[in-house]
């Protein structure tokens, strides 16, 4: 009997730091086991060998910041049966989306000796602003076990089972004392998507929102609580203006609370 056909996987990079692709490599043993079900057809961070499409699953890291990349993502969509975006850059525009709140030409003039050589769009936008996306995996960087679940789910033709609740649930599960309630430390955990394992509160710090907005974030309520513990509106806006600044819920909350 012929062996079942393996899922053909391609990994693509746009504007990003490569940290999310590295999470795939850091799967190590799990990745070797996965090779029975998945053929890594194109993954330039791991190998120069590149098999042509079409692909069953494309993992896309990074945001769209150039006209060239805006055209390239259309090609990726055309050759991909399923397209999954991985990380804050791909799902929310990343830290580079801070340009969306300012004038990109001021930045290039300040940073580069010859800004006239820089070809860039005025904005950094998530992949979903350009093409249909089948699933978004949040995080900066993403959780490698959640990535494994996404790849397995695609190979098995089902929807990935990724929790949509907030970091607070993870915090409670590991038995961490709430830093906001106990010490008045500002924390974005109540509005942030789970996935990191609530690392920061476990080290006595508030959550920075690396995993982006949870499914139904109550940012108005969190804003009221932050003000109650003495955080100014501009400070709250700065908190939202991190790697997920351009995610809808965080952008709106930052605009509303920073005025
Ligand atoms: S989401 Fe974070 S870790 Fe992933 S590519 Fe962007 S900056 Fe790097
Ligand atoms: S420390 Fe932050 S994430 Fe943990 S329970 Fe308190 S508010 Fe939620």
């Amino acid at each position: 009997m012929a062996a079942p056909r393996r899922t053909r996987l391609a990994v693509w990079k746009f504007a990003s730091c490569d940290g999310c692709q590295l999470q795939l490599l850091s799967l190590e043993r799990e990745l070797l086991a996965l090779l029975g079900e998945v053929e890594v057809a194109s993954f330039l961070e791991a190998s120069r060998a590149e098999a042509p499409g079409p692909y069953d699953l494309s993992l896309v890291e990074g945001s769209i910041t150039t006209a060239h990349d805006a055209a390239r993502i259309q090609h990726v969509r055309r050759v991909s049966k399923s397209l999954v975006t991985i990380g804050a850059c791909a799902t929310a525009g990343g830290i580079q989306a801070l340009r969306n709140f300012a004038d990109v030409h001021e930045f290039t003039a300040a940073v580069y000796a010859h800004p006239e050589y820089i070809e860039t769009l005025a904005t950094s936008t998530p992949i979903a602003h350009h093409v249909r996306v089948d699933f978004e995996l949040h995080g900066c960087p993403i959780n490698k076990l959640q990535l494994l679940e996404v790849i397995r789910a695609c190979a098995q033709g089902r929807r990935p089972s990724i929790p949509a609740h907030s970091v607070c649930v993870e915090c409670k599960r590991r038995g961490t004392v709430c830093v906001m309630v106990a010490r008045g430390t500002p924390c974005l955990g109540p509005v942030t998507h789970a996935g990191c394992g609530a690392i920061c509160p476990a080290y006595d710090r508030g959550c920075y929102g690396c995993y982006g907005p949870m499914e139904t974030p109550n940012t108005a309520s969190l804003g009221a609580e932050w003000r109650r513990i003495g955080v100014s509106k501009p400070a709250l806006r700065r908190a939202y203006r991190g790697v997920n600044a351009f995610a809808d819920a965080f952008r709106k909350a930052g605009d509303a609370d920073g005025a």
Side-chain angles (χ1 to χ4, degrees), residues 167-168 171-172 176-181 187-190 198 201 205-207:
V167 174
C168 289
C171 217
K172 294 299 157 214
T176 302
V177 171
C178 177
V179 297
M180 194 149 66
V181 171
C187 180
L188 286 179
R205 301 188 313 189
C207 164

Short mmCIF file of all heavy atoms in Angstrom, two decimals, residues 167-168 171-172 176-181 187-190 198 201 205-207, ligand 2:
data_model
loop_
_atom_site.label_atom_id
_atom_site.label_comp_id
_atom_site.label_asym_id
_atom_site.label_seq_id
_atom_site.Cartn_x
_atom_site.Cartn_y
_atom_site.Cartn_z
N VAL A 167 -4.32 35.95 29.67
CA VAL A 167 -3.14 35.54 30.44
C VAL A 167 -3.52 35.29 31.91
O VAL A 167 -2.90 34.47 32.59
CB VAL A 167 -2.04 36.63 30.33
CG1 VAL A 167 -0.85 36.32 31.25
CG2 VAL A 167 -1.55 36.74 28.90
N CYS A 168 -4.56 35.99 32.40
CA CYS A 168 -4.96 35.81 33.80
C CYS A 168 -5.25 34.33 34.10
O CYS A 168 -4.93 33.85 35.19
CB CYS A 168 -6.21 36.63 34.11
SG CYS A 168 -5.91 38.40 34.17
N CYS A 171 -2.11 32.60 34.64
CA CYS A 171 -1.55 33.07 35.91
C CYS A 171 -2.14 32.28 37.08
O CYS A 171 -1.43 31.81 37.97
CB CYS A 171 -1.91 34.53 36.04
SG CYS A 171 -0.68 35.55 36.78
N LYS A 172 -3.47 32.14 37.03
CA LYS A 172 -4.16 31.40 38.10
C LYS A 172 -3.73 29.95 38.09
O LYS A 172 -3.51 29.32 39.14
CB LYS A 172 -5.69 31.49 37.91
CG LYS A 172 -6.25 32.89 38.07
CD LYS A 172 -5.99 33.44 39.45
CE LYS A 172 -6.02 34.94 39.45
NZ LYS A 172 -5.09 35.55 40.38
N THR A 176 0.25 31.87 40.56
CA THR A 176 0.95 33.14 40.79
C THR A 176 0.04 34.14 41.50
O THR A 176 -1.13 34.28 41.14
CB THR A 176 1.41 33.74 39.44
OG1 THR A 176 2.24 32.78 38.79
CG2 THR A 176 2.16 35.04 39.61
N VAL A 177 0.58 34.82 42.48
CA VAL A 177 -0.18 35.89 43.14
C VAL A 177 -0.31 37.04 42.16
O VAL A 177 0.65 37.42 41.49
CB VAL A 177 0.56 36.36 44.43
CG1 VAL A 177 -0.10 37.60 45.01
CG2 VAL A 177 0.61 35.23 45.44
N CYS A 178 -1.51 37.61 42.04
CA CYS A 178 -1.76 38.69 41.08
C CYS A 178 -0.97 39.94 41.47
O CYS A 178 -1.20 40.52 42.54
CB CYS A 178 -3.25 39.00 41.02
SG CYS A 178 -3.61 40.39 39.93
N VAL A 179 -0.08 40.40 40.59
CA VAL A 179 0.77 41.55 40.93
C VAL A 179 -0.04 42.85 40.93
O VAL A 179 0.33 43.81 41.60
CB VAL A 179 1.97 41.68 39.95
CG1 VAL A 179 2.89 40.48 40.04
CG2 VAL A 179 1.51 41.91 38.52
N MET A 180 -1.13 42.85 40.18
CA MET A 180 -1.94 44.08 40.12
C MET A 180 -2.77 44.22 41.40
O MET A 180 -2.83 45.30 41.99
CB MET A 180 -2.86 44.05 38.89
CG MET A 180 -3.47 45.40 38.58
SD MET A 180 -3.76 45.67 36.82
CE MET A 180 -5.00 44.46 36.45
N VAL A 181 -3.37 43.11 41.83
CA VAL A 181 -4.19 43.16 43.05
C VAL A 181 -3.29 43.30 44.30
O VAL A 181 -3.54 44.11 45.18
CB VAL A 181 -5.07 41.90 43.16
CG1 VAL A 181 -5.76 41.84 44.52
CG2 VAL A 181 -6.10 41.87 42.03
N CYS A 187 -0.76 45.76 34.81
CA CYS A 187 -0.60 44.48 34.11
C CYS A 187 -1.61 44.43 32.97
O CYS A 187 -2.79 44.74 33.16
CB CYS A 187 -0.85 43.34 35.08
SG CYS A 187 -0.68 41.70 34.34
N LEU A 188 -1.16 44.04 31.77
CA LEU A 188 -2.07 43.93 30.62
C LEU A 188 -2.67 42.53 30.51
O LEU A 188 -3.41 42.24 29.56
CB LEU A 188 -1.32 44.27 29.31
CG LEU A 188 -0.99 45.74 29.05
CD1 LEU A 188 -0.22 45.89 27.73
CD2 LEU A 188 -2.25 46.59 29.00
N GLY A 189 -2.37 41.67 31.46
CA GLY A 189 -2.84 40.28 31.41
C GLY A 189 -4.34 40.09 31.17
O GLY A 189 -4.73 39.23 30.39
N PRO A 190 -5.21 40.91 31.80
CA PRO A 190 -6.65 40.68 31.63
C PRO A 190 -7.14 40.84 30.19
O PRO A 190 -8.19 40.33 29.85
CB PRO A 190 -7.29 41.73 32.55
CG PRO A 190 -6.24 42.00 33.59
CD PRO A 190 -4.94 41.89 32.87
N ALA A 198 2.10 33.07 31.22
CA ALA A 198 2.12 34.11 32.27
C ALA A 198 3.50 34.23 32.92
O ALA A 198 3.64 34.24 34.15
CB ALA A 198 1.03 33.85 33.32
N PRO A 201 4.22 37.93 35.21
CA PRO A 201 3.73 37.99 36.60
C PRO A 201 4.46 37.01 37.52
O PRO A 201 4.64 37.29 38.71
CB PRO A 201 2.24 37.63 36.46
CG PRO A 201 1.89 38.05 35.06
CD PRO A 201 3.12 37.74 34.25
N ARG A 205 6.40 40.97 37.58
CA ARG A 205 6.21 42.10 36.67
C ARG A 205 4.83 42.00 36.03
O ARG A 205 4.27 40.91 35.91
CB ARG A 205 7.27 42.09 35.56
CG ARG A 205 8.69 42.17 36.08
CD ARG A 205 9.68 42.34 34.98
NE ARG A 205 9.45 41.43 33.87
CZ ARG A 205 10.30 41.27 32.86
NH1 ARG A 205 11.41 41.97 32.84
NH2 ARG A 205 10.05 40.44 31.90
N GLY A 206 4.32 43.14 35.58
CA GLY A 206 3.06 43.11 34.86
C GLY A 206 3.27 42.56 33.46
O GLY A 206 4.38 42.59 32.93
N CYS A 207 2.18 42.06 32.87
CA CYS A 207 2.22 41.55 31.49
C CYS A 207 2.39 42.71 30.52
O CYS A 207 1.79 43.76 30.69
CB CYS A 207 0.90 40.80 31.23
SG CYS A 207 0.54 40.49 29.50
S1 LIG B 2 -0.86 39.35 37.47
FE1 LIG B 2 -1.78 40.16 35.60
S2 LIG B 2 -2.13 38.32 34.33
FE2 LIG B 2 -1.86 37.63 36.44
S3 LIG B 2 -3.92 37.53 37.29
FE3 LIG B 2 -3.08 39.56 37.81
S4 LIG B 2 -3.81 40.88 36.17
FE4 LIG B 2 -4.04 38.77 35.43
#
